[in-house]
Amino acid sequence: GLTRLPAALKKYQPRHVVLELGANDGLRGLPPTEMEKNLATMIRLVRQSGAEVHLVGMALPPNYGADYTKKFAAVFEKLAREYRTGFTPFLLAPIISRPELFQSDGLHPTQEAQPLLMQLMLQDLQIP
């Protein structure tokens, strides 16, 4: 995301950016401090472009242990507070207890899950 963001900001010149990245970093075992650094840089780049940022948090399955997953999830809240961005704590909250709304990998939502995720985001973005 960090390598692609500057060109996307220049090309599209958005007024608002929903930043929902980091899950793959966690699944690869990247240290949460590295993910935090990358996300913070992206927030600053978006702000420098003149756009507003809405940060979307993610949680990981417990594969890397409770300590790692806790530190990973805390990064999003910390950045939202530090940079005073809009914030959705956990994108998958509306579907996390409904395994039928996940693809066979158990990680990615199905097409049927999309309206529920959209409702959450519209509510958090305060879009009627």
Side-chain angles (χ1 to χ4, degrees):
L2 182 54
T3 59
R4 295 180 185 152
L5 183 63
L9 291 170
K10 185 176 181 179
K11 180 178 181 178
Y12 298 106
Q13 300 178 8
R15 293 186 303 176
H16 303 277
V17 173
V18 176
L19 187 57
E20 191 271 310
L21 295 169
N24 287 333
D25 292 340
L27 292 173
R28 291 182 185 119
L30 185 76
T33 54
E34 287 298 309
M35 182 186 72
E36 180 179 345
K37 184 175 116 181
N38 291 340
L39 288 170
T41 300
M42 286 187 267
I43 291 169
R44 288 193 299 273
L45 287 170
V46 170
R47 290 252 171 93
Q48 288 168 6
S49 79
E52 293 294 320
V53 180
H54 185 92
L55 185 62
V56 180
M58 189 54 65
L60 293 175
N63 302 26
Y64 293 101
D67 186 54
Y68 183 86
T69 56
K70 183 178 177 182
K71 287 178 182 176
F72 175 88
V75 165
F76 297 98
E77 186 175 335
K78 177 184 176 193
L79 289 172
R81 194 172 46 250
E82 181 178 334
Y83 288 94
R84 296 183 178 150
T85 70
F87 183 50
T88 298
F90 182 40
L91 178 64
L92 303 178
I95 64 167
I96 195 64
S97 63
R98 298 184 58 193
E100 74 277 10
L101 293 177
F102 286 87
Q103 295 178 32
S104 60
D105 65 5
L107 299 172
H108 295 94
T110 63
Q111 180 178 345
E112 294 77 23
Q114 299 308 310
L116 297 171
L117 302 179
M118 181 182 71
Q119 287 174 357
L120 171 67
M121 290 308 302
L122 290 176
Q123 175 187 322
D124 284 1
L125 292 168
Q126 300 178 355
I127 298 173

